[in-house]
Amino acid sequence: QVQLVESGGDSVQLGGSLNLSCAASGYRVDSGCMAWFRQVRGKGREGVAAICRDGYTSYANAVKGRFTISKDSAENTLFLHMNNLKSDDTAMYYCAARQSSNTAFVFLESLYTIWGQGTQVTVSS
């Protein structure tokens, strides 16, 4: 069974840090592309960070310099390291995976076929 399970979401203070994890089963994190998306209630999902098989990474402008996406092949886990968190970072965070390693359209939601259930991040002042 193919499954992605996120963890690490929490309530943190403005300017704080948080590390999200996405444990994969039935899918190798070394294959294709994986990404983190986030969604605020009542709004659409937006791409945050993506990483592909060859190590290619991409970040949304809103998180560049603050977030880092990485993966651990041995643990078969995707990570999102978030620093200097802002109130606008408050959202449900989802990890997603696709078989294609094509680096085009890494934030196109419809190209991802495997999704986790999400983990909530809340940033408060």
Side-chain angles (χ1 to χ4, degrees):
Q1 181 182 2
V2 179
Q3 194 174 15
L4 300 176
V5 179
E6 303 96 332
S7 61
D10 204 347
S11 295
V12 295
Q13 293 280 323
L14 205 62
S17 299
L18 207 55
N19 294 319
L20 304 184
S21 300
C22 172
S25 56
Y27 175 88
R28 294 297 309 169
V29 299
D30 285 338
S31 58
C33 291
M34 296 190 74
W36 288 96
F37 288 80
R38 65 187 181 187
Q39 185 172 27
V40 175
R41 189 174 297 178
K43 295 187 178 181
R45 260 192 288 224
E46 63 170 350
V48 174
I51 187 167
C52 294
R53 185 171 62 192
D54 60 359
Y56 170 90
T57 58
S58 183
Y59 296 91
N61 287 335
V63 306
K64 274 180 184 174
R66 299 188 298 120
F67 290 13
T68 303
I69 190 170
S70 64
K71 56 186 177 179
D72 186 311
S73 300
E75 295 185 11
N76 206 34
T77 300
L78 179 74
F79 300 99
L80 185 67
H81 309 281
M82 305 186 292
N83 295 317
N84 191 20
L85 283 162
K86 304 178 180 181
S87 55
D88 285 348
D89 296 321
T90 295
M92 183 72 78
Y93 284 72
Y94 299 90
C95 71
R98 68 188 200 194
Q99 293 298 337
S100 171
S101 59
N102 190 325
T103 57
F105 308 111
V106 289
F107 291 142
L108 186 55
E109 198 178 330
S110 60
L111 294 182
Y112 288 85
T113 56
I114 309 166
W115 290 85
Q117 83 291 344
T119 187
Q120 178 68 37
V121 172
T122 302
V123 184
S124 58
S125 57

